[in-house]
Amino acid sequence: MTNQHQSQQHQNATATAFRALHTPGTPLVLPNAWDIASARIVEAAGAAAVATTSAGLAWALGAADGDRLTRDRALAAVSGIAAAVDVPLTADIESGYAADAVGVADTVRAALAAGVVGVNIEDALYGADQPLRATAEQAERIAAARGAADAAGVPLFLNARIDTYLRGVGEGPDARLAQTLERAAAFLAAGADGVFVPGAVDPATVKALVEGVDGPVNVMAGPGAPSVAELAGLGVARVSVGSGIAQAAHALVREAARELLTEGTYGTLAGGLDYGELNGLLGR
């Protein structure tokens, strides 16, 4: 058996295991990471898998979020993270780092080569007159991603992100829910495995999404959102926090810098990770 074949078998087994973690009522909990250090910290904390945050990763590379990062730079960073952890890795690849469906397929092939077993693909548009791609266009992009993964023989978990709530699409809550469910059905039919609806955390809305989507539902949680246990009770299959941890980490940097520069004191640094522990995580 060749090393390439062994690697393919390992990736397939990892992808199958990752897929099985999406159980409604017993959600997969993903504290999103953005670099090797944060990924290893998340893994050491007991996470069953690691997810990247596209925003956090872009910021770490000196770019803004929102389709500003190139495919090569993003996937080079993702590849490093994949090689650094032993648990499955799912990557947020924004809208696919490509202008068309053919390019999305190329991105998925490159993501698989980087070692991921899951991806998020969003339907948001940046710098355009409309906030979201047309449903049919996005379905075509998802179908291309699915086709690329199937051709590679990897059961990639394709999470279709729908930004209706995050970007305030739809006149009123009923219209927004209807548009979300319509998009979810189209994207699942195109080959998505799950649906991710950031911005929807109200329990009634989450319940309606779980009941109306014929697949695993991913909720992005944060301060003020229901707890993981409450989301589990609503039937959610996956809970992530997006760029929340990265934002909190960067807020600490700002607070510590301001304290040092204005007060000349160091209280913000109390409670930091032990040097030896962190060094050990990166030196294993």
Side-chain angles (χ1 to χ4, degrees), residues 220-272:
M220 185 172 74
S227 68
V228 170
E230 290 170 319
L231 291 171
L234 294 170
V236 170
R238 175 164 159 175
V239 180
S240 52
V241 293
S243 60
I245 297 176
Q247 289 174 253
H250 293 314
L252 178 62
V253 173
R254 182 174 66 181
E255 185 180 353
R258 285 179 173 175
E259 181 193 3
L260 179 60
L261 294 170
T262 59
E263 305 296 329
T265 55
Y266 327 103
T268 307
L269 303 181

XYZ file of all heavy atoms in Angstrom, residues 220-272:
352
model
N -24.322 29.782 15.396
C -23.159 30.516 15.895
C -23.557 31.215 17.188
O -24.417 32.095 17.183
C -22.671 31.539 14.872
C -21.388 32.245 15.305
S -20.680 33.295 14.000
C -21.826 34.685 14.029
N -22.943 30.792 18.276
C -23.299 31.310 19.594
C -22.292 32.358 20.049
O -21.243 32.560 19.443
C -23.365 30.172 20.596
N -22.664 33.018 21.156
C -21.808 34.037 21.742
C -22.514 34.638 22.931
O -23.584 34.150 23.341
N -21.972 35.685 23.516
C -22.606 36.310 24.677
C -24.062 36.668 24.393
O -24.378 37.269 23.369
C -21.754 37.568 24.902
C -20.410 37.209 24.342
C -20.696 36.340 23.150
N -24.946 36.248 25.293
C -26.369 36.519 25.121
C -27.133 35.427 24.416
O -28.366 35.416 24.437
N -26.436 34.499 23.786
C -27.094 33.385 23.104
C -27.447 32.289 24.110
O -26.863 32.222 25.201
C -26.187 32.821 22.015
N -28.381 31.425 23.771
C -28.674 30.286 24.646
C -27.423 29.429 24.855
O -26.527 29.395 24.003
C -29.740 29.505 23.864
C -30.368 30.512 22.959
C -29.258 31.452 22.585
N -27.368 28.750 25.983
C -26.235 27.874 26.275
C -26.226 26.685 25.316
O -27.213 26.408 24.624
C -26.326 27.362 27.710
O -27.437 26.481 27.841
N -25.113 25.981 25.299
C -25.018 24.777 24.468
C -26.110 23.782 24.855
O -26.747 23.164 23.987
C -23.623 24.133 24.587
C -23.599 22.768 23.923
C -22.557 25.042 23.970
N -26.347 23.638 26.153
C -27.389 22.706 26.604
C -28.765 23.122 26.094
O -29.573 22.276 25.675
C -27.391 22.619 28.128
N -29.038 24.430 26.113
C -30.326 24.919 25.610
C -30.438 24.716 24.104
O -31.499 24.320 23.597
C -30.491 26.393 25.969
C -30.694 26.641 27.457
C -30.607 28.110 27.826
O -29.729 28.823 27.296
O -31.430 28.541 28.646
N -29.368 24.950 23.386
C -29.380 24.731 21.940
C -29.539 23.243 21.620
O -30.232 22.877 20.656
C -28.097 25.281 21.318
C -27.968 26.812 21.341
C -26.574 27.247 20.900
C -29.023 27.468 20.460
N -28.927 22.412 22.427
C -29.097 20.966 22.246
C -30.561 20.583 22.403
O -31.106 19.785 21.631
C -28.238 20.205 23.251
N -31.204 21.173 23.402
C -32.615 20.887 23.628
C -33.502 21.310 22.480
O -34.605 20.773 22.302
N -33.036 22.277 21.689
C -33.786 22.738 20.519
C -33.505 21.890 19.285
O -34.111 22.102 18.230
C -33.437 24.198 20.223
C -33.876 25.217 21.291
C -33.259 26.581 21.008
C -35.392 25.315 21.347
N -32.564 20.940 19.416
C -32.269 20.043 18.305
C -31.113 20.456 17.419
O -30.907 19.889 16.342
N -30.327 21.434 17.870
C -29.169 21.880 17.091
C -28.123 20.765 17.023
O -27.923 20.025 17.993
C -28.574 23.159 17.716
C -27.239 23.526 17.091
C -29.573 24.306 17.580
N -27.452 20.650 15.868
C -26.465 19.590 15.677
C -25.026 20.085 15.773
O -24.104 19.266 15.871
C -26.666 18.923 14.321
N -24.833 21.399 15.742
C -23.468 21.938 15.765
C -23.510 23.357 16.312
O -24.367 24.156 15.917
C -22.903 21.914 14.344
C -21.532 22.529 14.123
C -21.024 22.048 12.777
N -19.992 22.887 12.185
C -19.337 22.596 11.063
N -19.602 21.482 10.419
N -18.422 23.414 10.574
N -22.589 23.655 17.221
C -22.494 24.984 17.825
C -21.065 25.484 17.653
O -20.114 24.813 18.065
C -22.862 24.963 19.318
C -22.743 26.370 19.910
C -24.274 24.416 19.531
N -20.912 26.637 17.036
C -19.594 27.236 16.893
C -19.676 28.685 17.363
O -20.755 29.192 17.659
C -19.112 27.152 15.437
O -20.092 27.667 14.546
N -18.535 29.341 17.436
C -18.512 30.712 17.955
C -17.880 31.701 16.975
O -17.606 32.847 17.340
C -17.802 30.789 19.326
C -18.605 30.047 20.390
C -16.376 30.246 19.257
N -17.643 31.268 15.745
C -17.112 32.173 14.730
C -15.823 32.840 15.172
O -14.915 32.195 15.700
N -15.766 34.132 15.001
C -14.551 34.883 15.348
C -14.542 35.331 16.804
O -13.667 36.101 17.209
C -14.436 36.120 14.440
O -15.564 36.972 14.607
N -15.489 34.847 17.608
C -15.638 35.329 18.976
C -14.399 35.175 19.848
O -14.022 36.099 20.585
N -13.767 34.018 19.785
C -12.579 33.800 20.630
C -11.428 34.675 20.137
O -10.688 35.260 20.941
C -12.187 32.311 20.655
C -13.309 31.476 21.285
C -10.882 32.113 21.425
C -13.057 29.980 21.256
N -11.273 34.776 18.822
C -10.221 35.647 18.276
C -10.460 37.093 18.691
O -9.516 37.805 19.074
C -10.193 35.530 16.753
N -11.698 37.547 18.646
C -12.002 38.917 19.057
C -11.677 39.133 20.532
O -11.141 40.181 20.923
C -13.475 39.224 18.799
C -13.826 39.368 17.333
C -15.324 39.540 17.114
O -15.995 38.635 16.654
N -15.835 40.706 17.446
N -12.015 38.140 21.362
C -11.717 38.256 22.790
C -10.205 38.303 23.028
O -9.714 39.069 23.873
C -12.347 37.089 23.547
N -9.463 37.487 22.281
C -8.005 37.472 22.433
C -7.408 38.819 22.030
O -6.521 39.356 22.705
C -7.408 36.349 21.591
N -7.899 39.390 20.939
C -7.369 40.670 20.483
C -7.786 41.808 21.414
O -7.044 42.788 21.579
C -7.818 40.944 19.050
C -7.219 39.995 18.054
N -5.880 39.668 18.037
C -7.774 39.279 17.032
C -5.635 38.816 17.062
N -6.767 38.562 16.447
N -8.951 41.660 22.047
C -9.369 42.656 23.040
C -8.415 42.650 24.232
O -8.103 43.705 24.797
C -10.797 42.377 23.504
N -7.940 41.457 24.596
C -6.977 41.358 25.688
C -5.662 42.042 25.318
O -5.054 42.721 26.149
C -6.735 39.888 26.044
C -5.711 39.614 27.140
C -6.156 40.236 28.462
C -5.483 38.117 27.309
N -5.234 41.873 24.075
C -4.016 42.553 23.602
C -4.169 44.065 23.762
O -3.277 44.752 24.276
C -3.727 42.198 22.127
C -2.555 43.043 21.601
C -3.413 40.719 21.977
N -5.311 44.593 23.331
C -5.537 46.035 23.428
C -5.565 46.508 24.880
O -4.950 47.528 25.223
C -6.852 46.420 22.746
C -7.115 47.923 22.772
C -8.339 48.300 21.975
N -9.570 47.759 22.580
C -10.782 47.933 22.060
N -10.933 48.593 20.918
N -11.846 47.436 22.660
N -6.246 45.733 25.728
C -6.351 46.125 27.135
C -4.979 46.122 27.802
O -4.625 47.043 28.553
C -7.305 45.188 27.872
C -7.561 45.582 29.312
C -8.507 44.633 30.023
O -9.072 43.740 29.369
O -8.667 44.782 31.252
N -4.203 45.071 27.524
C -2.875 44.976 28.128
C -1.962 46.095 27.635
O -1.198 46.689 28.407
C -2.262 43.612 27.820
N -2.048 46.390 26.348
C -1.204 47.449 25.781
C -1.570 48.813 26.366
O -0.692 49.607 26.721
C -1.358 47.469 24.263
N -2.861 49.075 26.478
C -3.291 50.357 27.028
C -2.887 50.503 28.492
O -2.454 51.581 28.920
C -4.810 50.493 26.879
C -5.251 50.804 25.456
C -6.755 50.913 25.347
N -7.164 51.368 24.018
C -8.427 51.465 23.615
N -9.410 51.127 24.463
N -8.715 51.889 22.410
N -3.038 49.417 29.254
C -2.652 49.480 30.671
C -1.163 49.774 30.794
O -0.746 50.621 31.602
C -3.004 48.174 31.377
C -2.650 48.207 32.865
C -2.698 46.850 33.542
O -2.959 45.843 32.852
O -2.448 46.800 34.764
N -0.377 49.057 30.012
C 1.074 49.232 30.091
C 1.481 50.649 29.670
O 2.313 51.293 30.329
C 1.760 48.199 29.195
C 3.287 48.239 29.131
C 3.904 48.016 30.515
C 3.798 47.199 28.151
N 0.866 51.145 28.608
C 1.268 52.442 28.066
C 0.717 53.629 28.853
O 1.317 54.710 28.848
C 0.826 52.550 26.601
C 1.521 51.581 25.635
C 0.828 51.603 24.278
C 2.989 51.917 25.485
N -0.416 53.455 29.516
C -1.020 54.578 30.240
C -0.783 54.526 31.740
O -0.538 55.551 32.376
C -2.536 54.639 29.986
O -3.150 53.410 30.418
C -2.835 54.851 28.509
N -0.863 53.332 32.312
C -0.701 53.188 33.765
C 0.682 52.701 34.165
O 1.111 52.863 35.302
C -1.759 52.214 34.321
C -3.197 52.580 33.982
C -3.624 53.894 34.590
O -3.117 54.226 35.680
O -4.458 54.597 33.986
N 1.338 52.041 33.228
C 2.645 51.473 33.556
C 2.545 50.256 34.451
O 3.502 49.886 35.124
N 1.366 49.614 34.450
C 1.163 48.416 35.278
C 0.851 47.221 34.391
O 0.713 47.331 33.167
C 0.017 48.651 36.285
O -1.165 49.057 35.568
C 0.394 49.746 37.275
N 0.701 46.041 35.030
C 0.680 44.788 34.273
C -0.458 43.853 34.687
O -0.420 42.653 34.418
C 2.012 44.049 34.439
C 3.203 44.974 34.591
C 3.781 45.189 35.846
C 3.730 45.639 33.489
C 4.859 46.057 35.994
C 4.803 46.501 33.620
C 5.364 46.713 34.884
O 6.417 47.570 35.011
N -1.476 44.383 35.337
C -2.527 43.530 35.874
C -3.250 42.709 34.824
O -3.696 41.585 35.097
N -3.380 43.240 33.618
C -4.077 42.523 32.557
C -3.392 41.204 32.213
O -4.027 40.275 31.717
C -4.164 43.400 31.290
O -4.726 44.663 31.634
C -5.031 42.763 30.224
N -2.101 41.128 32.490
C -1.348 39.921 32.131
C -1.568 38.779 33.107
O -1.184 37.635 32.812
C 0.153 40.243 32.063
C 0.549 41.357 31.087
C 2.061 41.551 31.110
C 0.067 41.044 29.684
N -2.194 39.055 34.246
C -2.463 37.989 35.216
C -3.443 36.992 34.609
O -4.371 37.353 33.902
C -3.037 38.585 36.496
N -3.210 35.734 34.876
C -4.100 34.695 34.362
C -3.730 34.197 32.985
O -4.467 33.395 32.388
N -2.607 34.667 32.458
C -2.170 34.175 31.156
C -1.753 32.716 31.217
O -1.480 32.180 32.296
